[in-house]
Amino acid sequence: MSDPRLARPDDPPLMALRDVTLAFGPKVIQRNLSLDVRRGTIFAVMGGSGCGKSTVLKAMIGLLRPREGRYIMDGEDYWAGSEERRTEIGRRRFGVLFQNAALWSAMTVGMNVALPMQMFTALDEPSIRRLVMLKLGLVGMEHAVDQLPSELSGGMRKRAGLARALALDPDILFFDEPSAGLDPISASRLDDLILNLRDGLGATVVIVSHELPSLFAIADDGVFLDAKTRTVIAHGSPTALRDGCADPQVQAFMRRENYDAEAGGKV
Amino acid sequence: MAAGTHPTWRHIAATDRDVLALGGDWIAQSGAIPQFSPECLTGSAAGRTIAFDTAGLGRWDTGLIEFLWDAKRTAASAGLRVDGSGLPEAARKLLGLLPDRLATAASPSHRRFRPLHALGGKTLGMLAELGALAELLAVTTSGAVRALVARARMRAVDLLANIRAAGPQALAIVGVVNFLVGAILAFVGAVQLRKFAADIFVADLVAIAVVREMAGVMTAIVMSGRTGAAYAARIATMRGNEELDALAVVGIPASDYIVLPSVLALVFTMPLLYLYGCFVGILGGFVVALAMLDITPLGYFHQTVEAVPLDQFAFGFVKTVAFAAMIGVTSCRIGLLAGRSAADVGVAATKAVVVGIVGVIAMDAVFAVIADIVGI
C-alpha cells in the first residue's frame, strides 16, 4: 500500500506486549504473552471463551497493569510513564468499543458522542454538533441523536458506542466483541465500517472476537490464546492460521470442529 | 501535531460540471473546518455533476468528511450527481457510508406549559399508583398467607438472607441513632424540668417519648434509608439485567420470589428492632440523666417502669409492623417500576427513601390521631 500512514514491514510495532503476565489477584489469566501490533493493521485477539481475550484488551487500553512484562506503546514503555501521560495516551490515541457498548445511560446518544469533545477539545458547540452528526452518520445512527441508550436495540447501541469511540479521532481503535449479538447483515456492515475506518482514518484496530466470518473478512494479523495453558499458542492472521497452523486446537477453532481439550485432539 | 495550513475550498463552475477544489489540512479538532455554503450550487441545474479536485489537499481526517457530507447532502437535495473519483479513496469510502439526507430525527416531544393538564395527570397517576400499591400489598399478603401453608414460591433461604440483612446487620446503626435520640431527649428535658425541681420526671419524658414515638419513627426512617433503598436498587438492577423477565419465563412471580421475602423480612425484624431501639433509647436518656441530674439509678428505673404501661409497647409494636409493610411494599414497587438504565437505579433508590420517610411520618401522624381517639 502506498498510503504513508500505513506501516512498512520493517517499521517497529505500534504496540507490543513483551512476556506479559496478566492476573487478577492470585488468578493468572495469561502468562508469557508477547505480541506485536503493526501500524495500520487490524489485529485480532482470538481464542475460545474464557481464555482471557478481553483481559488482554484491558491490558492494552491501560485498565489492567500486567503483573510482569512490558507494554511498549509507540516506542515508549507505557507503564513506566506517569499516570497523566497514560491518561493522555488513552484520551488522544485510544478509542474503545466495549462489549456492551457502555453508553452513559443518563445521556442521549448525541451527548454521549459529544462529551469527550466538550471535555477535551476547544471546539465550539455548533462544530461539536456537526461532528457528532458526522460520527453518528458514519455508523448509520444519525437519526437516533436525541434518543436515550435505553431506547435502542443492542446493535444500535453498539454502533452508537462506536461513534463515541471515534469522537476524538483516535488512531488506535479497540473493539471488544464488536459483532457479538448482531445479525449477519449488521455484522458485515460493521466489518465494512471497520475496514473503511482503518483505510479512511489510517487507524490501527485491535479486535477481540470469536466471530469467524468477521475475523476472516477483516483481520490481517493476530494471536490465538489458549485457556488451558494460559498462553499464546499461535501468531498470524486468521486466514494464515486456518491454512497453515498445525495446532489441532487452532484448526478446530478456525474450522468450527469439535475439539476435546482433555484428549488433545479432535473428537 | 504541527499546526498545518488552513483548510480552503473553492467552487469552480466548469462548462459541464461543478468542481470543488480543496486545499490545506482538514483536521476536525483544529476547529477551522469551513462550512459548506449551499448557495454556490444554486445556479446548477439538476443532473449536473459535482467533482472534486484534491491536488492541494494536505493532511485530513473526519473534518474533511464533515465538509464533503455537507456538499453531498446539498447536491442530493438539488438533484446533482456526486462524482467522488477526485477524492482520496479512503475519503470516498467514508463518504459512501454517509446517507444522502438527514432523516428527520424523531423530534423530542415538546413540553408545553399546561398546569391543569399536569395537575390532572399527576392526580390520576397518584390514584393509579395507590391502586397498584394496594394490589401489590394484597398480592404480598396472599403470598404471606400461602407461605404459611408452604404453598408460595418463596425459598426459606431467601427469607433468612433478607432477615439477616434487615435485622442483625442493622443493629449497630439503629442502636446508635436511638441511643442519641434518647440522650437528646434527656438533655432537653433535664434543662426544663430542673427549673421545677422535677428532675425525676426526665425518666417519664424519655420513656414515653421513646416508646410512643421516637424509637418507632427513628427505626423506620433508618430502615427506609438502609433497607428500602437497597430493595429498590436491587430490584431495579434486576430489571435492567432482564432478571425479572427470566423469572417470569420460568413462571416464578416476582411478587413471591422477591417482594414477599423482602417485605416479610422487614415485617419480622422491624418490631424487634423497635423494642431494641426502645431499650437503647431509654438507656441513652438514663446515661445523660445520671450524669446531669441528682437521681439514683434505681429511682430512674422505677420511674421508667411506672411511666410506660405495656399497652404503649403494644401500640408501638403495631405501628412498626405497619411501617415495615409500607416501606417494604413501596420500595419493591418503586424498584419494579424503574427504568432499565444505571441512572434509573439511582432514581429508584432516591425515590424509595423519600417515599419511605415521608410515608412513615405521615402514617405516624395518622396513628397519633387514632391513639387519641381510642385513648391509648
Side-chain angles (χ1 to χ4, degrees):
Chain A
M1 271 178 257
S2 60
D3 192 321
R5 290 174 300 194
L6 299 188
R8 288 171 295 280
D10 51 346
D11 274 354
L14 179 60
M15 291 179 283
L17 294 179
R18 290 279 170 267
D19 300 316
V20 160
T21 298
L22 300 171
F24 292 113
K27 194 173 169 222
V28 173
I29 309 295
Q30 281 285 321
R31 60 169 65 94
N32 294 333
L33 177 72
S34 292
L35 55 84
D36 288 344
V37 180
R38 283 177 298 113
R39 206 176 294 272
T41 52
I42 295 182
F43 187 93
V45 181
M46 296 166 279
S49 299
C51 68
K53 298 188 295 289
S54 295
T55 312
V56 171
L57 192 80
K58 271 209 172 88
M60 295 182 82
I61 59 182
L63 290 181
L64 176 70
R65 186 173 197 144
R67 176 175 293 175
E68 285 164 34
R70 291 198 307 153
Y71 173 24
I72 315 290
M73 165 73 214
D74 206 2
E76 64 182 295
D77 190 333
Y78 183 81
W79 288 105
S82 65
E83 187 171 348
E84 290 76 39
R85 177 67 192 144
R86 290 199 295 273
T87 313
E88 177 70 17
I89 293 176
R91 182 185 302 154
R92 291 289 163 209
R93 308 203 58 179
F94 293 171
V96 185
L97 171 59
F98 290 93
Q99 203 161 353
N100 295 315
L103 294 171
W104 298 305
S105 54
M107 291 182 234
T108 64
V109 169
M111 285 157 78
N112 261 280
V113 183
L115 184 73
M117 293 190 238
Q118 288 165 341
M119 299 281 236
F120 302 120
T121 70
L123 298 175
D124 55 7
E125 268 311 310
S127 306
I128 289 180
R129 180 81 187 170
R130 284 171 68 202
L131 279 172
V132 165
M133 289 312 282
L134 172 75
K135 310 258 146 124
L136 287 173
L138 283 175
V139 297
M141 286 289 294
E142 71 286 350
H143 54 85
V145 62
D146 288 322
Q147 282 182 288
L148 286 170
S150 52
E151 298 166 339
L152 303 180
S153 71
M156 289 164 90
R157 241 176 271 177
K158 219 154 230 179
R159 282 188 281 151
L162 176 52
R164 187 182 68 186
L166 296 175
L168 294 176
D169 288 304
D171 67 337
I172 308 167
L173 289 167
F174 295 91
F175 296 100
D176 195 355
E177 304 278 4
S179 41
L182 298 188
D183 65 89
I185 297 169
S186 307
S188 109
R189 196 189 138 97
L190 192 68
D191 289 346
D192 287 345
L193 183 62
I194 294 172
L195 280 174
N196 283 327
L197 288 173
R198 189 268 302 260
D199 295 345
L201 305 175
T204 307
V205 178
V206 177
I207 175 172
V208 163
S209 180
H210 49 218
E211 301 278 319
L212 288 174
S214 284
L215 289 174
F216 290 133
I218 63 175
D220 39 28
D221 197 0
V223 285
F224 193 97
L225 307 180
D226 181 25
K228 198 150 170 290
T229 59
R230 306 199 180 288
T231 189
V232 175
I233 51 177
H235 289 269
S237 77
T239 324
L241 290 182
R242 179 188 60 191
D243 298 335
C245 182
D247 188 283
Q249 191 188 343
V250 175
Q251 280 301 313
F253 182 92
M254 292 298 168
R255 297 178 190 278
R256 308 189 72 164
E257 288 161 353
N258 289 326
Y259 174 78
D260 182 352
E262 298 303 321
K266 289 175 196 168
V267 185
Chain B
M1 252 180 235
T5 53
H6 207 73
T8 57
W9 67 283
R10 269 183 316 127
H11 170 239
I12 305 162
T15 47
D16 58 335
R17 50 177 47 197
D18 292 289
V19 177
L20 297 177
L22 307 169
D25 291 337
W26 293 69
I27 303 296
Q29 288 188 27
S30 67
I33 299 301
Q35 189 106 32
F36 178 74
S37 51
E39 301 80 46
C40 72
L41 294 177
T42 43
S44 308
R48 256 169 86 96
T49 302
I50 303 183
F52 300 93
D53 173 9
T54 56
L57 185 65
R59 292 180 305 127
W60 60 272
D61 66 1
T62 44
L64 174 69
I65 311 298
E66 184 186 326
F67 178 84
L68 293 176
W69 191 28
D70 282 350
K72 176 177 169 176
R73 292 205 307 269
T74 311
S77 63
L80 306 176
R81 242 168 40 78
V82 175
D83 172 13
S85 60
L87 294 171
E89 192 197 347
R92 202 167 61 237
K93 278 183 176 169
L94 288 179
L95 190 59
L97 293 171
L98 292 162
D100 275 344
R101 48 180 53 83
L102 277 178
T104 39
S107 60
S109 56
H110 290 291
R111 290 212 179 131
R112 277 189 293 156
F113 181 64
R114 290 188 293 178
L116 273 181
H117 182 267
L119 180 69
K122 281 251 189 259
T123 313
L124 286 179
M126 256 196 249
L127 288 176
E129 196 46 45
L130 272 181
L133 270 180
E135 188 191 345
L136 187 62
L137 184 64
V139 170
T140 311
T141 315
S142 86
V145 172
R146 276 181 290 125
L148 285 179
V149 289
R151 294 280 301 277
R153 300 204 179 280
M154 177 183 71
R155 299 184 307 164
V157 58
D158 293 325
L159 180 61
L160 291 175
N162 274 304
I163 286 180
R164 186 180 141 84
Q169 292 180 356
L171 281 177
I173 181 164
V174 169
V176 168
V177 168
N178 279 297
F179 184 90
L180 291 178
V181 166
I184 293 165
L185 285 171
F187 265 120
V188 175
V191 172
Q192 300 302 321
L193 292 172
R194 211 160 25 182
K195 293 178 185 163
F196 305 99
D199 296 19
I200 192 63
F201 288 102
V202 168
D204 293 62
L205 185 145
V206 169
I208 293 173
V210 163
V211 173
R212 250 189 107 106
E213 296 294 343
M214 297 318 281
V217 171
M218 281 300 156
T219 306
I221 286 176
V222 168
M223 294 310 281
S224 163
R226 193 183 171 280
T227 309
Y231 288 167
R234 183 182 65 188
I235 296 175
T237 310
M238 290 180 80
R239 215 178 108 74
N241 286 340
E242 298 184 319
E243 292 174 47
L244 295 183
D245 299 340
L247 282 175
V249 166
V250 288
I252 301 174
S255 60
D256 278 17
Y257 182 73
I258 303 167
V259 179
L260 185 56
S262 307
V263 175
L264 281 186
L266 270 182
V267 168
F268 286 156
T269 55
M270 206 132 94
L272 299 177
L273 285 173
Y274 157 74
L275 292 180
Y276 163 76
C278 287
F279 174 75
V280 179
I282 290 172
L283 185 69
F286 174 73
V287 170
V288 169
L290 278 197
M292 285 182 71
L293 304 170
D294 187 21
I295 311 177
T296 61
L298 202 63
Y300 190 96
F301 176 75
H302 185 72
Q303 192 72 18
T304 300
V305 173
E306 290 287 298
V308 279
L310 210 57
D311 61 349
Q312 296 286 348
F313 282 99
F315 181 57
F317 205 84
V318 171
K319 261 198 329 196
T320 44
V321 170
F323 292 162
M326 188 275 297
I327 293 172
V329 172
T330 51
S331 301
C332 292
R333 169 76 185 158
I334 287 166
L336 289 170
L337 281 181
R340 291 172 180 270
S341 74
D344 292 328
V345 175
V347 170
T350 311
K351 217 165 152 188
V353 174
V354 171
V355 170
I357 290 176
V358 173
V360 163
I361 291 174
M363 277 174 82
D364 194 54
V366 173
F367 273 112
V369 173
I370 292 175
D372 188 50
I373 292 170
V374 300
I376 296 176

